[in-house]
Amino acid sequence: MLDVPHEGKVRGHQRVPSDSKEFHEVTKRDALRLLENDVDRLLQTVEEVRRPALKAEMGRFADLFGRFLQEEGPALDWNKIQKLPENAVMNYSNLKAPKNEQNEIRNMLDKLVVIKLNGGLGTSMGCHGPKSVIPVRSDLTFLDLTVQQIEHLNKTYDANVPLVLMNSFNTDEDTEKIVRKYKGFRVQIHTFNQSCFPRISREHFLPVAKDFDVEKDMEAWYPPGHGDFYDTFRNSGLLKKFIEEGREYCFLSNIDNLGATVDLNILNKLVGEERATTPVEFVMEVTDKTRADVKGGTLIQFENKLRLLEIAQVPPEHVDDFKSVKTFKFFNTNNIWANLASIERVLRERTLSMEIIVNNKTLETGLRVIQLETAVGSAMKCFDGAIGINVPRSRFLPVKKSSDLLLVMSNLYTLKNGSLVMSPQRMFPTTPLVKLGENHFSKVKEFLGRFANIPDIIELDHLTVSGDVTFGRGVSLRGTVIIIANHGDRIDIPAGAILENKIVSGNMRILDH
C-alpha cells in the first residue's frame, strides 16, 4: 500500500522502516506502471495526428510522477543550508545605468525577449476568463499595460523587443482573440501553451480523466506551474527562433505583477557595458521581506549553489525559521532574467531539475486530487553564475486580491507609458498594508460597487475593512484606519470624510436627503 499524502503541501512520503524498503520499491514501481498504462489508455482516445505531441507531454508527466514517488520527506536537509556568499545578491543601487545613447540601448534591447506568465484565470477575483484581461487602471487591463510598456520601449529606442505570452489551456482561446486588437501596435506578440497534465486521485494514484477531451472535463486537468516554461518554450520552437535572431536573454515575470517592467540597468549588467567577464546565466530579482511576505520563496546557498527555497520544501519544525525576517531577508519576486543559450544547454544536457510542489485540491464533486507542479525559479541551481539582485519594492506590485487593486487604482500611482509610478507626494517608498473583508470585497464587481471613487491614500499606512462598508466620493484615509461593521450592521463613510488614525465600528447609515 502506498503512503498517501496528507492534507496541505507535502514532500512525498513518510519514512518507512528499512525492513519494508523492498516492498515499497515494488509498490512504487507498480504505481508508476499502473499510471503509465492509464496514460496510454488516455492517449488511445485522441486522433492519431495529435498523439506524438501528446505522448511526449505525457512522458514529462510520467517522469514528474516517478520523481514524486521516489521522494522521501522534505527534499532538503535544513542543516546543510549555508550562509549566502557576499557576492550572491547584488544591490540594485550598485548597478550602473547604460549611457543614454540610442544606438547602445537599442543594441541591448534587440538582445532581449519579454515573457509573461499568462496561464491564470481571474476566478479568485470573481472574474471569468484570463486574469490578464481584468481592467486594473483607467479601463486598461494587465495585457494592455504590458503591450503599452513594450511599445513605448520599441518606439523610444527604435528597437524590436518581442512579447511572448505563456498561456494555459484555460486562457489560450480567450487570449488569442484579445491579442488581435494589438495588430497595429509596434510589438510582435507570440503565444505558446504550457502543458496540460491530468490530476491524480489521492485514493488510487491514477488520473481522474476518462479521456483526452479536456474541454468536456476541465476539472480533471491542470497546468503544472510555471516551472513547465523551459520545456514548453523550447517545444514551441520560439527558443530556437530567438537564439537564431541573436537574442541572448529573456525577462520573465507574472503578468499580474505591474512592477515587472524592462529594467535597463539590469539589462546593462547582462548584455551592455557592465557585462561580466564570466556570463551571468540566471538572475532572480529579490526584494526585502516584510511581515506580509513571510510565505514567499527565498534565496539560500545549498551545496555551494544559489537556489530558491519555497515554504513547501521546509521541514515542519523549521517553518518559523523560514518565516523569520531576520534569518531570510529577501523573497523572490518571480522576475527572472535567463540566458537563452543556457536554457537550451540545460535542456539538451538534461540537467534541468526542479523541486516538486505537491498541491492538494478537492474538486467540486468532493473528489480529493493532487497536482504536481514546479516553480520556474527553482531551476536557478542548474545554471552557472546565477545571482540575485535586491531590487526596490516598486518592482513587485502584484495584483492577487481586491486589496492590491485598491492600491494600483488609487492616487498612490500615476500611469506613464503603461508603467505605474509611485506619486512623489508619498513620503516613504513602502505601500500601505490593506486588508479588505473576504465576504464583501473579494470579487472585483462587488469591490468596485463599494467605492464611489477610490479614496485618497497618499498618507495611509494601514487599512482594515470588514463587513458591509461603502465609501462616498472624495474620502481621504491617513495613518491607520480600521472600519468594522458587525454582522447585520452597515457603515457608509460619507463623501468628503477624512479619517486619520481612526477606528470606526457599529452601524452608520448616511441617508440621502
Side-chain angles (χ1 to χ4, degrees):
M1 178 69 184
L2 276 164
D3 292 309
V4 178
H6 299 291
E7 281 296 341
K9 291 197 173 176
V10 291
R11 295 295 310 142
H13 309 286
Q14 290 178 303
R15 300 206 172 275
V16 294
S18 56
D19 58 359
S20 61
K21 194 171 180 189
E22 282 175 32
F23 168 72
H24 272 261
E25 286 304 317
V26 172
T27 54
K28 284 175 185 178
R29 277 202 302 276
D30 284 350
L32 185 56
R33 186 173 50 77
L34 287 169
L35 177 113
E36 286 172 340
N37 289 345
D38 224 47
V39 165
D40 282 342
R41 180 187 60 73
L42 284 176
L43 285 168
Q44 297 310 310
T45 68
V46 293
E47 56 271 30
E48 265 187 58
V49 68
R50 287 179 62 211
R51 250 178 240 168
L54 287 174
K55 192 172 181 181
E57 195 166 296
M58 289 302 101
R60 292 202 305 278
F61 168 67
D63 285 348
L64 197 62
F65 182 76
R67 280 180 50 217
F68 159 71
L69 290 176
Q70 292 307 319
E71 288 188 359
E72 309 247 351
L76 183 120
D77 182 342
W78 192 262
N79 299 319
K80 286 187 180 171
I81 294 178
Q82 301 157 295
K83 194 171 184 290
L84 277 180
E86 244 175 61
N87 58 351
V89 179
M90 282 190 73
N91 201 313
Y92 179 84
S93 59
N94 293 337
L95 293 177
K96 289 188 179 150
K99 286 184 185 144
N100 205 4
E101 290 174 15
Q102 174 123 348
N103 282 354
E104 291 249 338
I105 294 175
R106 182 180 66 230
N107 289 340
M108 282 168 40
L109 288 170
D110 284 343
K111 294 186 172 83
L112 182 68
V113 180
V114 172
I115 298 168
K116 293 288 180 182
L117 303 171
N118 185 45
L121 290 167
T123 41
S124 63
M125 295 174 77
C127 297
H128 299 292
K131 188 174 181 184
S132 56
V133 300
I134 296 175
V136 284
R137 181 87 192 204
S138 313
D139 283 334
L140 296 170
T141 65
F142 293 103
L143 201 46
D144 292 335
L145 294 173
T146 301
V147 170
Q148 274 193 18
Q149 288 164 19
I150 296 175
E151 185 181 51
H152 174 68
L153 268 182
N154 286 342
K155 281 183 169 173
T156 305
Y157 299 105
D158 191 25
N160 181 21
V161 178
L163 170 64
V164 179
L165 302 171
M166 181 169 91
N167 298 331
S168 69
F169 65 89
N170 286 319
T171 63
D172 180 52
E173 203 178 316
D174 288 338
T175 302
E176 287 298 336
K177 288 177 194 161
I178 291 151
V179 162
R180 289 178 204 149
K181 77 174 183 180
Y182 305 117
K183 274 266 191 314
F185 286 65
R186 190 170 166 172
V187 183
Q188 279 180 30
I189 302 177
H190 305 269
T191 62
F192 70 96
N193 264 18
Q194 70 175 117
S195 302
C196 175
F197 284 177
R199 283 177 165 150
I200 304 165
S201 156
R202 292 244 318 262
E203 192 181 338
H204 45 64
F205 272 28
L206 291 173
V208 297
K210 299 288 180 280
D211 55 44
F212 245 106
D213 191 343
V214 177
E215 294 287 317
K216 190 176 77 183
D217 188 8
M218 298 278 267
E219 272 217 314
W221 302 86
Y222 73 100
H226 40 60
D228 186 50
F229 157 73
Y230 302 100
D231 275 305
T232 49
F233 184 47
R234 175 188 58 183
N235 295 344
S236 72
L238 288 170
L239 176 60
K240 183 171 186 270
K241 168 188 161 65
F242 292 134
I243 290 172
E244 284 173 355
E245 285 177 8
R247 299 189 186 276
E248 293 183 27
Y249 281 84
C250 63
F251 170 49
L252 178 141
S253 62
N254 298 340
I255 195 138
D256 65 8
N257 178 6
L258 294 175
T261 57
V262 172
D263 187 280
L264 294 178
N265 295 11
I266 296 175
L267 193 59
N268 194 30
K269 170 76 184 162
L270 299 175
V271 298
E273 285 188 323
E274 295 299 307
R275 184 197 288 251
T277 44
T278 312
V280 175
E281 292 187 352
F282 194 100
V283 172
M284 180 181 287
E285 291 186 37
V286 295
T287 194
D288 291 345
K289 205 188 234 192
T290 67
R291 301 213 176 276
D293 316 305
V294 290
K295 290 183 179 177
T298 192
L299 274 185
I300 57 167
Q301 182 82 352
F302 190 84
E303 294 174 343
N304 299 317
K305 278 272 194 180
L306 202 55
R307 67 188 268 178
L308 174 66
L309 175 66
E310 298 273 14
I311 195 164
Q313 295 155 243
V314 177
E317 66 273 21
H318 289 291
V319 166
D320 286 344
D321 299 330
F322 174 82
K323 289 180 176 179
S324 157
V325 178
K326 280 184 188 163
T327 315
F328 299 105
K329 295 178 188 161
F330 311 116
F331 80 96
N332 169 29
T333 63
N334 218 37
N335 299 350
I336 283 164
W337 305 70
N339 181 280
L340 297 175
S342 305
I343 292 174
E344 198 275 331
R345 182 197 75 231
V346 165
L347 288 166
R348 186 180 68 248
E349 294 177 355
R350 300 177 72 85
T351 53
L352 184 67
S353 155
M354 292 171 285
E355 285 73 30
I356 296 171
I357 298 164
V358 182
N359 202 341
N360 290 292
K361 299 266 181 187
T362 302
L363 304 186
E364 283 180 6
T365 57
L367 187 68
R368 297 192 309 160
V369 296
I370 54 174
Q371 51 190 56
L372 305 177
E373 302 174 12
T374 54
V376 69
S378 66
M380 185 180 208
K381 63 181 185 294
C382 310
F383 292 84
D384 297 328
I387 61 166
I389 296 181
N390 185 13
V391 297
R393 186 75 186 201
S394 57
R395 289 193 59 73
F396 184 67
L397 196 58
V399 181
K400 304 287 183 196
K401 298 186 290 211
S402 53
S403 51
D404 302 321
L405 207 50
L406 177 75
L407 295 175
V408 301
M409 293 176 89
S410 74
N411 62 340
L412 206 55
Y413 296 98
T414 52
L415 193 58
K416 191 178 175 189
N417 304 313
S419 299
L420 292 184
V421 182
M422 191 178 276
S423 165
Q425 291 174 283
R426 177 83 174 163
M427 296 304 284
F428 24 86
T430 55
T431 52
L433 189 60
V434 176
K435 294 178 182 175
L436 301 177
E438 287 289 311
N439 292 343
H440 295 83
F441 288 86
S442 63
K443 293 183 168 46
V444 173
K445 194 175 175 186
E446 194 174 12
F447 159 82
L448 292 172
R450 293 189 169 272
F451 295 91
N453 68 349
I454 301 295
D456 165 7
I457 61 169
I458 287 283
E459 294 177 40
L460 179 69
D461 298 322
H462 179 121
L463 173 67
T464 295
V465 182
S466 177
D468 187 358
V469 179
T470 62
F471 293 79
R473 188 167 290 280
V475 171
S476 187
L477 305 172
R478 301 170 188 173
T480 296
V481 178
I482 298 169
I483 305 168
I484 297 177
N486 294 323
H487 184 67
D489 290 345
R490 176 167 158 183
I491 295 175
D492 294 329
I493 303 298
I498 297 172
L499 300 181
E500 184 167 1
N501 296 324
K502 283 270 190 297
I503 297 176
V504 181
S505 64
N507 201 12
M508 187 169 78
R509 299 292 305 271
I510 307 297
L511 301 173
D512 289 330
H513 294 293

